[in-house]
Amino acid sequence: MALTDLMVRNVKPVDKQQKLFDERGLYLLVTPAGGKWWRLKYRFGGKEKSLSMGVYPDVGLKDARERRDAARKLLANGVDPGIERKVQKAAANERTANSFETVAREWYAKHAPGWAPSHSEKVIRRLERDVFPWIGTRPIADVKAPELLAVLRRIEDRGVLETAHRALQNCGQVFRYAVATGRAERDPSGDLRGALPPWRSEHYASITEPIKVAEMLRAFDAFTGTFVVQCALRLAPLWFVRPGELRKAKWAEFDLDRAEWRYTVTKTKSEHIVPLAIQAVTTLRALHALTGNREYVFPGRDVKKPMSEAAVNAALRRMGFDTKTEITGHGFRAMARTILHEQLRFPPDVIEHQLAHKVPDALGTAYNRTRFIDQRRAMMQAWADYLDALKAGAKVVPIGIASN
């Protein structure tokens, strides 16, 4: 006699297991604890077997019968439904193990150690915020171009087109890694070329007019914030290093007697030398009296850590500078590059080496920390003298040096 919904709902547990049979091998197993399990009794290869059809009430009588019928169709085709379920489960587990997020995190873990910390943080934050919530659980081999485009459109709709382009770039890197490791057949990001509106990278805001540079330097001298931040403001134009390298400078890297700062460039992982002008050494000796017993030259509120990533830009805004349109902590590099070449007539190769840029020479050498070191030492002192003269309101005459 076939079961009914009322019978299944009202059956009570007893002190031993009960089996309430429906039709074509389906039955309800009722445990003494009150659990109700659907089972299918069938024979395959001359052996009697049992297959779970789900738990009541999550799976009702109608659904259990549909699952039974699907299993019996497999039997009719010579397939053991129990084995088929194990195969499907294994395939599902494999797809989960090869989800977009799993592969992306594996790709990230292999590449992040070679990146600058700030870059690696941006990459993983971008993936976690803008990509994983939408396709993170999808098998990477199943993600197609339209689905990826939908993810990018959500970013674009927020008005951050640059982020959308960078997310597309990162996704392409993940897909190509999946192809290389046998988890995907192709990279669908290539199909989206031209799908996003074009975006052009904007340069960091920078002041390159000598008169305005002079005004900025005088504002630095009048800064009323902490002495540590004021020193950072004074030294940032003199050194024109990347903001992260400035704020993470360590006393152990400095030799004030030799007037040198030696450190590893975060972006290229190469050794770099910054010759210290007399003005820089003077500022550092004054600052050493305050922070010389610390690891970092510019410690933050927590003296065991460097000052905040936003400290210099916050100070610039406090003095009335717009860090989006006028000057930013990274803008001192463009300021120095422009004025050293256009006003002081220093050779581009000397300037680029001091900027720690990889500029191949005729022999293919990308960067050498000691190349042009004498010219760079002279340039850094001339640059500091030039800035002092600007600040004092003097008329500065280009001096330049010849390159080797």
Side-chain angles (χ1 to χ4, degrees), residues 60-182:
L61 177 58
K62 180 181 178 182
D63 291 335
R65 285 171 174 167
E66 290 177 352
R67 296 185 181 190
R68 173 202 62 195
D69 293 343
R72 294 192 68 85
K73 283 183 180 180
L74 290 174
L75 283 168
N77 291 318
V79 177
D80 184 338
I83 298 299
E84 177 66 13
R85 176 173 294 179
K86 290 179 180 179
V87 170
Q88 293 299 328
K89 185 177 181 180
N93 290 338
E94 183 178 358
R95 287 195 298 272
T96 300
N98 294 326
S99 68
F100 182 91
E101 180 172 351
T102 299
V103 177
R105 289 191 183 279
E106 182 181 317
W107 164 80
Y108 175 80
K110 289 184 178 296
H111 290 83
W115 297 337
S118 59
H119 176 66
S120 63
E121 289 171 8
K122 289 177 182 176
V123 170
I124 194 62
R125 188 168 61 244
R126 188 181 302 126
L127 290 170
E128 290 176 340
R129 179 189 59 202
D130 294 321
V131 181
F132 292 165
W134 312 109
I135 61 173
T137 59
R138 295 272 289 128
I140 194 165
D142 294 348
V143 179
K144 300 297 186 284
E147 189 174 1
L148 178 59
L149 180 60
V151 172
L152 302 174
R153 290 289 189 220
R154 289 187 180 92
I155 304 173
E156 180 189 352
D157 290 344
R158 296 207 319 264
V160 283
L161 184 58
E162 175 187 356
T163 301
H165 277 274
R166 294 194 184 281
L168 174 58
Q169 179 186 29
N170 294 149
C171 288
Q173 292 168 319
V174 173
F175 281 117
R176 288 189 289 277
Y177 176 76
V179 172
T181 56

Side-chain angles (χ1 to χ4, degrees), residues 6-284:
L6 183 62
M7 293 169 60
V8 172
R9 184 168 60 250
N10 293 337
V11 63
K12 303 298 182 184
V14 294
D15 57 358
K16 61 179 181 179
Q17 289 187 345
Q18 304 174 71
K19 292 183 179 180
L20 280 68
F21 284 88
D22 187 49
E23 297 174 326
R24 305 180 69 199
L26 180 67
Y27 66 92
L28 183 70
L29 178 67
V30 183
T31 69
K36 298 178 181 180
W37 302 78
W38 294 110
R39 292 283 190 272
L40 175 64
K41 181 180 178 181
Y42 69 98
R43 297 186 68 84
F44 188 86
K47 294 182 180 180
E48 184 175 294
K49 296 187 175 185
S50 176
L51 182 65
S52 173
M53 296 282 104
V55 180
Y56 182 86
D58 295 337
V59 178
L61 177 58
K62 180 181 178 182
D63 291 335
R65 285 171 174 167
E66 290 177 352
R67 296 185 181 190
R68 173 202 62 195
D69 293 343
R72 294 192 68 85
K73 283 183 180 180
L74 290 174
L75 283 168
N77 291 318
V79 177
D80 184 338
I83 298 299
E84 177 66 13
R85 176 173 294 179
K86 290 179 180 179
V87 170
Q88 293 299 328
K89 185 177 181 180
N93 290 338
E94 183 178 358
R95 287 195 298 272
T96 300
N98 294 326
S99 68
F100 182 91
E101 180 172 351
T102 299
V103 177
R105 289 191 183 279
E106 182 181 317
W107 164 80
Y108 175 80
K110 289 184 178 296
H111 290 83
W115 297 337
S118 59
H119 176 66
S120 63
E121 289 171 8
K122 289 177 182 176
V123 170
I124 194 62
R125 188 168 61 244
R126 188 181 302 126
L127 290 170
E128 290 176 340
R129 179 189 59 202
D130 294 321
V131 181
F132 292 165
W134 312 109
I135 61 173
T137 59
R138 295 272 289 128
I140 194 165
D142 294 348
V143 179
K144 300 297 186 284
E147 189 174 1
L148 178 59
L149 180 60
V151 172
L152 302 174
R153 290 289 189 220
R154 289 187 180 92
I155 304 173
E156 180 189 352
D157 290 344
R158 296 207 319 264
V160 283
L161 184 58
E162 175 187 356
T163 301
H165 277 274
R166 294 194 184 281
L168 174 58
Q169 179 186 29
N170 294 149
C171 288
Q173 292 168 319
V174 173
F175 281 117
R176 288 189 289 277
Y177 176 76
V179 172
T181 56
R183 266 83 68 85
E185 294 295 325
R186 62 185 302 275
D187 167 22
S189 70
D191 299 334
L192 299 183
R193 187 172 300 158
L196 292 174
W199 164 80
R200 179 176 295 178
S201 175
E202 296 181 0
H203 295 294
Y204 292 100
S206 179
I207 295 174
T208 56
E209 297 177 31
I211 293 177
K212 292 185 177 181
V213 171
E215 294 173 353
M216 179 185 68
L217 296 174
R218 288 192 284 269
F220 289 177
D221 282 349
F223 180 68
T224 58
T226 67
F227 184 60
V228 170
V229 174
Q230 185 182 51
C231 287
L233 289 169
R234 287 174 172 172
L235 292 169
L238 290 179
W239 294 341
F240 47 89
V241 294
R242 295 175 179 86
E245 296 161 355
L246 176 78
R247 71 184 188 89
K248 294 180 181 179
K250 298 179 179 180
W251 282 114
E253 300 166 340
F254 287 83
D255 187 334
L256 298 185
D257 294 329
R258 294 185 59 182
E260 286 185 350
W261 173 23
R262 293 175 178 242
Y263 70 96
T264 301
V265 178
T266 54
K267 189 171 185 178
T268 61
K269 303 299 181 184
S270 57
E271 297 295 320
H272 185 52
I273 300 175
V274 177
L276 303 176
I278 294 172
Q279 294 89 329
V281 173
T282 300
T283 299
L284 284 168

Side-chain angles (χ1 to χ4, degrees), residues 213-362:
V213 171
E215 294 173 353
M216 179 185 68
L217 296 174
R218 288 192 284 269
F220 289 177
D221 282 349
F223 180 68
T224 58
T226 67
F227 184 60
V228 170
V229 174
Q230 185 182 51
C231 287
L233 289 169
R234 287 174 172 172
L235 292 169
L238 290 179
W239 294 341
F240 47 89
V241 294
R242 295 175 179 86
E245 296 161 355
L246 176 78
R247 71 184 188 89
K248 294 180 181 179
K250 298 179 179 180
W251 282 114
E253 300 166 340
F254 287 83
D255 187 334
L256 298 185
D257 294 329
R258 294 185 59 182
E260 286 185 350
W261 173 23
R262 293 175 178 242
Y263 70 96
T264 301
V265 178
T266 54
K267 189 171 185 178
T268 61
K269 303 299 181 184
S270 57
E271 297 295 320
H272 185 52
I273 300 175
V274 177
L276 303 176
I278 294 172
Q279 294 89 329
V281 173
T282 300
T283 299
L284 284 168
R285 291 193 184 281
L287 183 58
H288 191 271
L290 179 63
T291 69
N293 61 337
R294 308 295 183 189
E295 179 182 10
Y296 293 101
V297 176
F298 309 105
R301 291 182 180 179
D302 181 347
V303 295
K304 294 182 180 180
K305 297 180 180 180
M307 68 180 182
S308 164
E309 186 176 356
V312 169
N313 279 350
L316 290 170
R317 288 191 293 270
R318 179 175 173 180
M319 289 182 287
F321 294 99
D322 189 324
T323 53
K324 291 186 177 180
T325 61
E326 290 184 279
I327 185 66
T328 183
H330 207 288
F332 296 119
R333 292 170 65 77
M335 181 184 85
R337 183 194 297 113
T338 301
I339 297 178
L340 280 169
H341 179 59
E342 294 182 359
Q343 299 294 326
L344 301 188
R345 311 288 171 79
F346 281 93
D349 282 355
V350 177
I351 300 170
E352 292 301 311
H353 267 74
Q354 193 52 55
L355 286 164
H357 283 167
K358 288 188 174 182
V359 183
D361 58 19

